[in-house]
């Protein structure tokens, strides 16, 4: 047994031709967040604090679809979602429809710690954030020129877009920027376990490009996009509707408990039940195992374990 941590920055149709200017900042972001998480675990911080800390870092990075980099609804607005869960106590907190809170994951943590509830949304979540003194800003803080362009592309193609999905071209080919796999930057998540087997997970997202106002995805739904118990901690990414139908995160824990599968076997079982091209997940077990699986073209991901292993990957092979 030893500590372990895994981080993801979204799964989807990430082409092997992804330009360096799109790829390198995200790789650097994953490296930084992995280092932050490792340092926190080595300092004996509780995994719940570790995953919140790492996801805050990802939310503050405009290259990922959470916080500052959140994608836009069909109305051009931001509606962020986040969830956090502790494995030992199974306490959890979630928020949806957040549009002014700088770090939605910290609001989810406060819902868990400071209320008798699990899930707050929209006006109620915003009011609670102000009541608790969380940092808030105007919605314009989250709206980047890149995401305005992504929304325009999606609306022209009359579709929503999954993480990194390349827009469907109409009869007239779009310019090169539409084929670089950057139609949406990905949902973020972190899972961690410490030397004592304590587990935690956190996930945060802006959703999918051109989603209907009020749409809620898998991220804040316990057992779908986010789940932890005494056996494992899981964070999923991809098309929320498919992940909700498949209850991916809970399935990993369930087959570990009821079928006696290892973490990697359980993760593979859960992923195999989701149609190809729809999802990815990261998970850690109470004994320090790590699993990072996806059935999309790629998934921005990273992990490290106490025995010295570390990995940062996008496609099938680790990045050197």
């Amino acid at each position: 047994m030893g500590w372990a941590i895994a981080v993801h920055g979204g799964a989807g149709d990430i082409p092997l031709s992804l330009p360096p200017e799109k790829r390198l900042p995200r790789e650097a972001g994953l490296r930084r967040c992995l280092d932050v998480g490792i340092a926190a675990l080595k300092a004996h911080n509780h995994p719940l604090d570790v995953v919140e800390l790492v996801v805050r870092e990802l939310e503050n990075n405009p290259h990922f679809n959470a916080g500052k980099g959140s994608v836009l609804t069909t109305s051009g607005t931001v509606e962020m979602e986040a969830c956090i869960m502790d494995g030992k106590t199974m306490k959890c907190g979630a928020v949806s429809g957040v549009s002014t809170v700088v770090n939605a994951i910290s609001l989810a943590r406060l819902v868990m710690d400071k209320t008798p509830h699990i899930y707050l949304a929209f006006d109620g979540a915003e009011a609670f954030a102000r009541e608790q003194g969380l940092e808030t800003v105007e919605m314009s803080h989250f709206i980047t020129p890149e995401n305005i362009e992504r929304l325009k592309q999606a609306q022209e193609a009359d579709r929503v877009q999954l993480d990194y999905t390349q827009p469907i071209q109409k009869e007239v080919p779009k310019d090169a920027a539409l084929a670089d796999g950057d139609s949406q930057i990905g949902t973020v998540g972190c899972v961690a376990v410490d030397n004592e087997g304590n587990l935690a997970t956190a996930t945060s997202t802006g959703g999918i490009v051109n989603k209907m106002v009020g749409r809620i995805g898998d991220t804040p739904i316990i057992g779908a996009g986010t789940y932890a118990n005494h056996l494992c901690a899981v964070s999923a990414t991809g098309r929320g509707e498919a992940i909700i139908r498949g209850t991916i995160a809970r399935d990993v824990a369930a087959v570990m408990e009821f079928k006696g599968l290892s973490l990697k076997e359980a993760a593979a079982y859960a992923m195999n039940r989701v149609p190809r091209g729809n999802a990815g997940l990261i998970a850690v077990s109470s004994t320090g195992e790590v699993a990072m699986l996806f059935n999309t073209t790629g998934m921005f991901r990273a992990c490290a374990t106490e025995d010295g292993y570390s990995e940062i990957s996008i496609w099938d092979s680790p990045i050197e």
Side-chain angles (χ1 to χ4, degrees), residues 5 7-9 25-26 28-40 49-69 102-106 186 188-190 202 204:
I5 184 170
V7 181
H8 75 73
R26 290 169 187 151
L30 288 175
R31 281 194 177 89
R32 170 170 168 72
C33 289
L34 192 62
D35 288 344
V36 166
I38 291 170
D49 297 324
V50 174
V51 297
E52 180 186 2
L53 178 65
V54 170
V55 170
R56 282 176 62 95
E57 288 284 334
L58 289 162
E59 288 175 334
N60 294 338
N61 186 326
H63 296 288
F64 296 104
N65 176 19
K68 177 67 174 172
V102 172
N103 293 111
I105 195 62
S106 291
V188 304
C190 180
S204 183

Side-chain angles (χ1 to χ4, degrees), residues 38-192:
I38 291 170
L41 284 168
K42 286 182 175 179
H44 304 293
N45 290 353
H46 192 281
L48 198 62
D49 297 324
V50 174
V51 297
E52 180 186 2
L53 178 65
V54 170
V55 170
R56 282 176 62 95
E57 288 284 334
L58 289 162
E59 288 175 334
N60 294 338
N61 186 326
H63 296 288
F64 296 104
N65 176 19
K68 177 67 174 172
S70 292
V71 297
L72 306 180
T73 69
T74 187
S75 296
T77 55
V78 168
E79 292 182 354
M80 298 172 286
E81 304 179 323
C83 184
I84 192 166
M85 188 167 187
D86 176 63
K88 179 174 285 188
T89 65
M90 296 186 73
K91 290 181 63 178
C92 47
V95 293
S96 285
V98 176
S99 59
T100 68
V101 179
V102 172
N103 293 111
I105 195 62
S106 291
L107 179 56
R109 176 75 183 269
L110 285 172
V111 172
M112 183 185 80
D113 289 343
K114 303 291 186 180
T115 80
H117 309 305
I118 289 174
Y119 197 163
L120 293 180
F122 296 93
D123 291 349
E126 291 279 343
F128 180 63
R130 292 191 295 272
E131 176 188 309
Q132 293 296 311
L134 282 185
E135 183 181 3
T136 58
V137 292
E138 294 295 322
M139 187 190 296
S140 58
H141 166 82
F142 303 101
I143 300 177
T144 65
E146 293 79 9
N147 282 332
I148 293 173
E149 180 61 25
R150 290 184 190 102
L151 177 61
K152 179 183 175 184
Q153 294 167 6
Q155 290 179 333
E156 287 175 351
D158 192 26
R159 61 170 287 179
V160 296
Q161 290 172 3
L162 175 62
D163 291 1
Y164 302 100
T165 298
Q166 301 177 62
I168 295 174
Q169 296 185 354
K170 293 187 176 181
E171 294 181 5
V172 179
K174 301 287 191 291
D175 59 38
L178 298 189
D180 66 3
D182 196 36
S183 62
Q184 182 180 338
I185 46 185
T187 297
V188 304
C190 180
V191 292

